[in-house]
Amino acid sequence: MSEFNERLILPDIAGLHTIEVYEQHNGYQALRKALAMKPEEVTDEVKKSNLRGRGGACFPTGLKWTFMPKQSAKPKYLCANGDESEPGTFKDRQIFEQNPHLFIEGAVIAAYAMGIETVYVYIRGEYAKWVKMLQKAVDDAYAKNYIGKNVLGSPFSVNLYLYKGAGAYICGEESALMNSLEGNRGYPRVKPPFPAQNGLWGCPTTINNIETIANVPVILNRGWEWFSKIGAPKQPGTLLYGISGHVNKPGVYELPTGVLLSDLIHRYAGGVPGNKKIKAVIPGGSSTMWLRGEELDGVRMDADSLKAAGSSIGTAGVIVMDEDTDVLKVLARITHFYHHESCGQCTPCREGCGWMEKILNRFVAGDGTMADVDLLLDVANNVEGNTICALGDAAAWPIQSFIRKFRDEFEKRARTTPRSPSYIPPPHLVTTGA
Amino acid sequence: MFTKENLDKLEVLKKQYPTMKSLTLPALWMAQEQFGWISPDTMKYVGELLELPVSHIYGVVTFYTMFNTRPVGTHHLQVCTNVSCQLRGAERLAGHICDRLHIKMGETTPDKRYTVTEVECLGSCGTAPMMQVGDEYYENLTLDRVDALLSKELK
Ligand SMILES: Cc1cc2nc3c(=O)[nH]c(=O)nc-3n(C[C@H](O)[C@H](O)[C@H](O)COP(=O)(O)O)c2cc1C
Ligand code: SF4
Ligand code: FES
């Protein structure tokens, strides 16, 4: 499995972001192939490939597409999710930058498969520069009739529009994304009804991550059988692993699913600066459960292996912390993030995240007691599973795992660090806003 | 109040969405680009333009962190202090910028040249620490690099 070393999503081809170079490298051939197939055959191909969503929940993509009604009196929509705001995640941006046409081709194929005539691409507002890059690629694709009326002379017509967010992590959650696209505050919706029945403007809607969609042309070009044999069998293909924190060569690495976490850190990302030991790793973006440095042996980067290790693959955004890291402070910062980004609709999330942040800050300030740890866990357990969307869980998971695995950190802090009278809150405690 | 160019853009957008409401964010982006920030008067104007109550516009503006409800300096330095940046020295960097400009986080310099805000992860964790100024990302920052930026490109 580790033999596979081809890059499918971000191949090393100069100028691939331009339509000319993309076409020279087999670009838009998958679309031609798809248009010659029946829509349900395209969906079937994706289903058999076993492609799983890259947006964090690992949901089987082909299956998701079959939830869309075949006949619908109302229009159907595809939303491509480029909100990319989970800390530690910076991969979709690479697709916009290096291979935007692969994504566009995938989106058009997906639309064809589900009988969709309008695709919206939701991109976080901070990515203004990347929105422009993608817009250029979209314009070029329109000019060549890969998007638009009667795509390549077929009866199929589709439009694709970019929508810029304005700074809100929660808009990456699919129902919040739809509310935002409708011009509202980004409040997640209660499910059911699910988007395939009742999505954008009450119409059938599918939401897929940018990287997920970029895999579609690859599957069409090379066939489901070939694709399904790459990497971990239950979650095949390559992943865009983002690795950050204390490594010598942080960045995005495209490798098969199921690589050894330790290989990712040492072989690809060049190990830890100063050859220091690893204290902790967050394997799949800031919401995933923490692993201790001693637990990394044999852990592979796929859904099953990480589940067995007590975490999850999430967005494959690996965050590495060396032995000198003040991990409590890191946890406090992450919790601040979830508190800041809570939309405020559900009490457990809105209040709970605030309480958890306060308790952690108390520890950072050297003012925590071991009773606070029990309180913290109690709050986290009561947030998890009791909210409209998974942001509450995302805030609780890091804390629950930290308490399980790093109780010693609390003990050290509670005993030995008295609160200094000249204590100055770290920057993230200062009220900001412009 | 909107330039002709922006009004034309809105007309194009109207055809892309089944409801006017969907244009709330695009119109607010136009407003912010044209005026630099979104004042109560601007909210009223956008509301009238889209035939939506100003309360809706206000609700949206205040939900999203990128809409400025106060004027910001010529250079709005948005420093990420989230986890990956934190691990690579963002706290020191943020402190250094504030010290150098003699302001606190969230403030604007008296000459209105700089505003510094702390922001959440900007999707640039592999090139941490970093900040965004305007549409531009400044990545792999060091204190020296920031000093150079403040005395040259971002003067
Ligand atoms: C709080 C929260 C934030 C999310 N942010 C993102 C995001 O930025 N990008 C993304 O693709 N999915 C995000 N998701 C997951 C989406 O809700 C959705 O599951 C995903 O876009 C589906 O795409 P996929 O099936 O291709 O993975 C988020 C979920 C939650 C609960
Ligand atoms: S869990 Fe949090 S973010 Fe999600 S809907 Fe409830 S309050 Fe909003
Ligand atoms: S944590 Fe700073 S850009 Fe992601």
Side-chain angles (χ1 to χ4, degrees):
Chain A
M1 140 163 88
S2 50
E3 302 314 310
F4 187 91
N5 60 6
E6 199 184 332
R7 288 198 249 154
L8 308 174
I9 309 298
L10 301 174
D12 193 8
I13 299 169
L16 189 62
H17 64 283
T18 65
I19 197 159
E20 293 78 17
V21 177
Y22 184 69
E23 284 173 330
Q24 281 159 23
H25 289 87
N26 216 23
Y28 290 104
Q29 291 307 320
L31 175 58
R32 285 176 208 277
K33 213 166 168 176
L35 291 173
M37 295 160 71
K38 289 203 196 96
E40 51 275 22
E41 288 172 347
V42 177
T43 301
D44 208 44
E45 187 84 12
V46 174
K47 208 169 158 184
K48 284 194 287 200
S49 79
N50 232 339
L51 173 66
R52 282 169 186 260
R54 308 296 198 232
C58 237
F59 196 84
T61 307
L63 181 64
K64 191 186 261 190
W65 292 6
T66 63
F67 296 158
M68 289 290 273
K70 279 216 179 67
Q71 304 298 331
S72 167
K74 294 178 184 170
K76 295 185 261 186
Y77 297 104
L78 172 65
C79 291
N81 191 343
D83 194 55
E84 184 149 270
S85 313
E86 165 97 343
T89 314
F90 46 102
K91 63 191 178 70
D92 296 337
R93 172 184 154 186
Q94 302 297 324
I95 299 175
F96 298 141
E97 195 167 316
Q98 297 177 36
N99 206 354
H101 287 287
L102 184 70
F103 159 70
I104 294 169
E105 186 175 7
V108 175
I109 296 170
Y112 174 73
M114 289 179 274
I116 286 168
E117 290 178 359
T118 312
V119 180
Y120 295 108
V121 187
Y122 190 100
I123 305 179
R124 63 179 302 177
E126 294 88 346
Y127 279 2
K129 229 168 81 177
W130 290 271
V131 171
K132 283 185 193 137
M133 287 179 202
L134 186 63
Q135 186 64 56
K136 163 84 174 97
V138 168
D139 294 344
D140 290 346
Y142 262 109
K144 295 222 164 172
N145 197 218
Y146 296 129
I147 320 175
K149 215 166 158 34
N150 298 112
V151 174
L152 299 172
S154 73
F156 171 64
S157 299
V158 67
N159 280 307
L160 186 148
Y161 306 121
L162 310 191
Y163 198 86
K164 203 164 99 175
Y169 164 69
I170 193 59
C171 290
E173 195 280 335
E174 55 185 24
S175 58
L177 183 150
M178 295 190 293
N179 275 340
S180 181
L181 235 158
E182 290 181 13
N184 296 308
R185 309 180 75 142
Y187 287 137
R189 302 175 184 175
V190 178
K191 286 177 258 184
F194 291 99
Q197 272 70 50
N198 190 335
L200 268 178
W201 303 289
C203 303
T205 304
T206 291
I207 298 102
N208 276 132
N209 171 259
I210 302 293
E211 184 188 346
T212 309
I213 293 172
N215 272 284
V216 171
V218 178
I219 293 166
L220 267 280
N221 274 329
R222 315 282 280 261
W224 65 267
E225 215 169 349
W226 178 85
F227 185 88
S228 66
K229 293 201 178 100
I230 305 166
K234 284 196 191 154
Q235 185 198 359
T238 60
L239 283 180
L240 303 183
Y241 298 97
I243 180 159
S244 65
H246 296 143
V247 289
N248 282 310
K249 293 189 287 174
V252 171
Y253 295 88
E254 180 176 358
L255 297 161
T257 51
V259 292
L260 281 169
L261 178 52
S262 53
D263 272 357
L264 197 59
I265 296 170
H266 297 286
R267 229 174 103 194
Y268 297 98
V272 181
N275 265 325
K276 284 187 193 170
K277 284 208 205 87
I278 295 172
K279 186 163 190 173
V281 171
I282 303 173
S286 64
S287 66
T288 55
M289 302 240 186
W290 290 41
L291 300 173
R292 275 190 85 106
E294 306 89 78
E295 299 183 283
L296 308 183
D297 267 358
V299 173
R300 290 186 177 275
M301 290 294 291
D302 62 77
D304 287 344
S305 178
L306 278 165
K307 196 169 165 206
S311 185
S312 45
I313 184 77
T315 58
V318 179
I319 304 165
V320 179
M321 292 168 246
D322 72 22
E323 56 188 323
D324 296 329
T325 310
D326 183 347
V327 282
L328 246 169
K329 203 166 169 184
V330 174
L331 184 68
R333 181 65 186 85
I334 290 174
T335 306
H336 168 73
F337 169 74
Y338 289 107
H339 180 211
H340 182 259
E341 299 301 325
S342 166
C343 82
Q345 278 191 109
C346 345
T347 311
C349 172
R350 182 187 63 239
E351 302 302 323
C353 288
W355 294 342
M356 295 191 293
E357 186 191 355
K358 268 196 198 139
I359 297 171
L360 285 166
N361 283 339
R362 207 181 293 163
F363 265 100
V364 172
D367 209 18
T369 67
M370 288 318 282
D372 284 335
V373 180
D374 300 331
L375 179 63
L376 181 63
L377 184 62
D378 190 42
V379 177
N381 290 344
N382 279 296
V383 173
E384 189 199 11
N386 290 322
T387 55
I388 294 175
C389 87
L391 187 140
D393 302 339
W397 289 331
I399 291 173
Q400 291 167 329
S401 63
F402 190 99
I403 294 175
R404 223 170 20 249
K405 295 181 176 179
F406 292 93
R407 212 180 164 83
D408 51 330
E409 290 292 324
F410 287 110
E411 281 163 357
K412 268 191 277 175
R413 272 306 163 92
R415 277 199 312 268
T416 62
T417 327
R419 183 173 196 164
S420 146
S422 60
Y423 164 70
I424 299 164
H428 69 267
L429 302 182
V430 179
T431 317
T432 62
Chain B
M1 286 229 288
F2 268 170
T3 58
K4 166 134 192 343
E5 200 194 341
N6 276 340
L7 289 171
D8 289 347
K9 260 197 243 164
L10 270 185
E11 286 310 310
V12 173
L13 288 174
K14 274 183 197 168
K15 297 191 198 90
Q16 303 180 352
Y17 299 87
T19 66
M20 288 273 263
K21 207 180 190 188
S22 273
L23 304 193
T24 308
L25 269 75
L28 288 171
W29 270 122
M30 285 175 197
Q32 179 147 309
E33 271 153 32
Q34 196 180 318
F35 310 114
W37 65 294
I38 297 170
S39 67
D41 280 345
T42 305
M43 292 185 213
K44 230 176 107 204
Y45 172 71
V46 171
E48 280 161 14
L49 208 60
L50 301 181
E51 295 162 32
L52 293 165
V54 66
S55 57
H56 164 75
I57 307 291
Y58 180 81
V60 170
V61 170
T62 49
F63 184 82
Y64 296 92
T65 54
M66 290 187 80
F67 293 135
N68 301 324
T69 49
R70 286 186 288 154
V72 291
T74 317
H75 303 294
H76 185 187
L77 313 186
Q78 298 170 276
V79 188
C80 172
T81 58
N82 211 311
V83 50
S84 305
C85 289
Q86 177 190 37
L87 290 171
R88 293 183 90 91
E91 214 174 289
R92 241 185 105 204
L93 188 83
H96 178 79
I97 293 172
C98 291
D99 288 349
R100 212 192 124 110
L101 299 174
H102 305 291
I103 49 175
K104 286 204 207 74
M105 194 49 91
E107 291 180 349
T108 300
T109 52
D111 63 0
K112 310 267 185 280
R113 294 204 64 75
Y114 300 101
T115 301
V116 185
T117 36
E118 177 184 41
V119 293
E120 296 301 341
C121 175
L122 291 173
S124 207
C125 328
T127 42
M130 60 82 64
M131 65 175 175
Q132 176 167 29
V133 187
D135 285 356
E136 210 48 54
Y137 273 29
Y138 296 92
E139 303 170 59
N140 291 313
L141 289 177
T142 57
L143 301 189
D144 287 346
R145 173 87 176 109
V146 163
D147 286 340
L149 280 173
L150 290 177
S151 48
K152 283 195 211 104
E153 286 113 298
L154 300 174
K155 208 171 154 75

